[in-house]
Amino acid sequence: MSVFHKGGIPLLDWRENLEFDGRGTLWVSHVTQHRVEGYAPDGTLRAGFPLSGPGGIRRGLDGMMYVNYGVNPLTPHGGIVRFDPTAAAPRPEKVVDGLSGINGLAVDTEGNLYVSRELATGILKIRPDGTKDEEWTRGASVFGTNGLEIVGDQLYASVLIDASSRIVRIPLTDPARRTTVTRLSSTLLDGKFLDDLTEFRGGLVVASFRDGELIRVDPATGRSCTLVTGLRMPTSVRIPRGFGAHDTGHTLFVTEASGRIVRVTVG
């Protein structure tokens, strides 16, 4: 494990999420500083722009980057913006607003956006035209979701507000047929406060905010093992696709509430 970018004062320098644009830039949502930052493979700051409370950030199939903003359970002024990562000075363009208590984000192959909510029931589905698919959201009636990841035709979600530290699987075509993949805690005192998750080597890797761990989960069996320990309140984990010489088969990048961006090598 090595530090790609140093942090500051824990919690006050909170970096919430990250995504690679596939063109050599790592984009990070710096929630407490209200900025989106773009880093080059050598760690230098390449670009950035202000955005109120940025959270989940993902690359769409159209090449645009999508970012949640207003990530705070108490604010009604959240939404989603998109920007062109190839622009010399990226400018956010509003996709949808009026969302509250949002956090994680996923984008499917048709351009639909999925948004988690930590203190509400139902994962939001936003169509490419910015309208809400209310019927889909009613079917995906899971309370307290955080991280989101799409694998094939399934949406995986980590559940933050859950004593058993669940990960659920939600079919994109029939969200009411959701199932529990695994429960990573047996008691309330062992709750892991699961944050973001990503696909890696045919499985899932999820960040345990409380324990400072990355946990690998087999989505077929629900079996799990700890990949990494010693992190400082990890918030998101991603594979470095198209990011210099970084190996996508053995490397993961992690953001933390400590403000650090950490590079992890998995044997």
Side-chain angles (χ1 to χ4, degrees):
M1 182 167 61
S2 62
V3 177
F4 178 79
H5 189 279
K6 294 181 180 180
I9 300 174
L11 301 180
L12 298 181
D13 194 39
W14 190 310
R15 285 182 168 86
E16 169 64 17
N17 213 265
L18 76 159
E19 176 73 303
F20 297 87
D21 64 12
R23 298 185 176 96
T25 302
L26 162 60
W27 295 95
V28 176
S29 54
H30 199 162
V31 63
T32 52
Q33 296 299 316
H34 304 288
R35 287 193 61 81
V36 174
E37 306 163 334
Y39 291 92
D42 64 1
T44 59
L45 185 64
R46 174 177 283 170
F49 56 87
L51 186 65
S52 176
I57 179 169
R58 290 293 179 263
R59 179 181 182 272
L61 288 184
D62 56 2
M64 301 287 280
M65 303 295 292
Y66 292 79
V67 194
N68 293 341
Y69 68 90
V71 175
N72 183 324
L74 302 179
T75 179
H77 306 299
I80 306 171
V81 299
R82 64 184 172 198
F83 66 92
D84 182 355
T86 66
R91 295 183 178 181
E93 170 192 348
K94 190 174 294 184
V95 176
V96 62
D97 60 6
L99 307 181
S100 62
I102 63 176
N103 191 298
L105 179 66
V107 187
D108 70 16
T109 57
E110 296 179 353
N112 296 298
L113 305 169
Y114 301 85
V115 183
S116 67
R117 299 185 290 175
E118 295 175 335
L119 297 177
T121 298
I123 297 169
L124 297 177
K125 179 180 178 180
I126 311 295
R127 301 183 184 94
D129 62 4
T131 60
K132 298 178 183 178
D133 188 335
E134 301 283 5
E135 181 179 357
W136 194 96
T137 294
R138 284 193 297 271
S141 58
V142 183
F143 179 82
T145 54
N146 190 315
L148 300 176
E149 175 76 326
I150 293 175
V151 182
D153 60 357
Q154 306 291 319
L155 174 68
Y156 291 90
S158 61
V159 186
L160 178 70
I161 311 299
D162 189 307
S164 66
S165 304
R166 275 192 303 158
I167 295 176
V168 297
R169 176 173 41 231
I170 302 166
L172 293 178
T173 57
D174 189 358
R177 293 181 58 213
R178 63 194 180 279
T179 55
T180 295
V181 175
T182 189
R183 298 178 186 271
L184 297 174
S185 301
S186 56
T187 68
L188 179 62
L189 296 177
D190 189 37
K192 296 185 177 298
F193 295 97
L194 298 181
D195 212 300
D196 204 13
L197 73 167
T198 193
E199 180 187 19
F200 181 64
R201 293 183 182 175
L204 300 170
V205 175
V206 61
S208 169
F209 184 90
R210 195 197 77 166
D211 295 338
E213 298 174 343
L214 296 183
I215 302 168
R216 186 188 186 279
V217 174
D218 184 336
T221 65
R223 294 176 180 171
S224 64
C225 65
T226 301
L227 282 184
V228 179
T229 60
L231 296 167
R232 303 174 186 172
M233 298 174 288
T235 54
S236 185
V237 54
R238 304 298 287 171
I239 297 171
R241 293 187 175 90
F243 195 56
H246 293 290
D247 182 359
T248 58
H250 296 87
T251 305
L252 293 165
F253 275 66
V254 181
T255 48
E256 298 177 333
S258 72
R260 298 193 308 174
I261 304 171
V262 178
R263 179 174 47 230
V264 175
T265 300
V266 180

